[in-house]
Amino acid sequence: MSHDDDATPDLDAFLAAMPAGALNEKMGVEITEVGPERVVATMPVEGNTQPYGLLHGGASVVLAETLGSVGAALHAWPDKVAVGVDINATHHRAARAGTVTGVATPVHLGRSMASFEVVVSDEQGRRVCTSRITCALIDAPPAAR
């Protein structure tokens, strides 16, 4: 990678290069914090529920994949891009209303792989879901550098 391990990359340049993605827009995902040690986003429960009115487990996984992918992409940027290769999730409790918040923290930041733990919590701070995502870090296409 072209940036030093101790240096923080230009977050504004990174965010400008990172497309939001149509799925995140449809689900109302809003990234609120991006840094090398933590990526945070919120998502409304409303509009992302299963037939019983509970937050859909797949919605929690979308939030987790977004956060872990952004964290891995930041670690890889600008010479590499992150592509998801594995994700899992444990759903601990239901969320019925309000907003959930996901916080991704790195578990492993290597040259070819990056893994993050993502904790999704409700407005009362109760853990709704725990996810782990692993991304492969591959050479960025020349147009993306």
Side-chain angles (χ1 to χ4, degrees), residues 15 28 30 46 70 76 78 80 92 96 102 104 106-107 115 118 121 138 141:
L15 291 172
E30 291 188 30
E46 185 177 345
V70 168
K80 294 187 177 195
H92 306 289
R96 293 176 172 78
V107 174
S115 295
V118 184
S121 302
I138 61 173

Side-chain angles (χ1 to χ4, degrees), residues 38-131:
R38 183 173 138 110
V39 182
V40 181
T42 60
M43 181 180 68
V45 173
E46 185 177 345
N48 294 314
T49 57
Q50 41 89 306
Y52 301 112
L54 308 174
L55 178 64
H56 195 291
S60 294
V61 174
V62 167
L63 179 59
E65 183 151 3
T66 297
L67 290 168
S69 294
V70 168
L74 176 61
H75 173 66
W77 188 77
D79 298 326
K80 294 187 177 195
V81 296
V83 293
V85 295
D86 181 65
I87 190 164
N88 67 46
T90 301
H91 305 289
H92 306 289
R93 70 169 50 244
R96 293 176 172 78
T99 301
V100 293
T101 300
V103 178
T105 54
V107 174
H108 171 76
L109 297 173
R111 289 181 305 225
S112 62
M113 301 286 271
S115 295
F116 283 77
E117 178 184 63
V118 184
V119 175
V120 178
S121 302
D122 65 14
E123 290 177 336
Q124 290 73 41
R126 298 175 299 193
R127 190 178 291 228
V128 172
C129 176
T130 304
S131 181

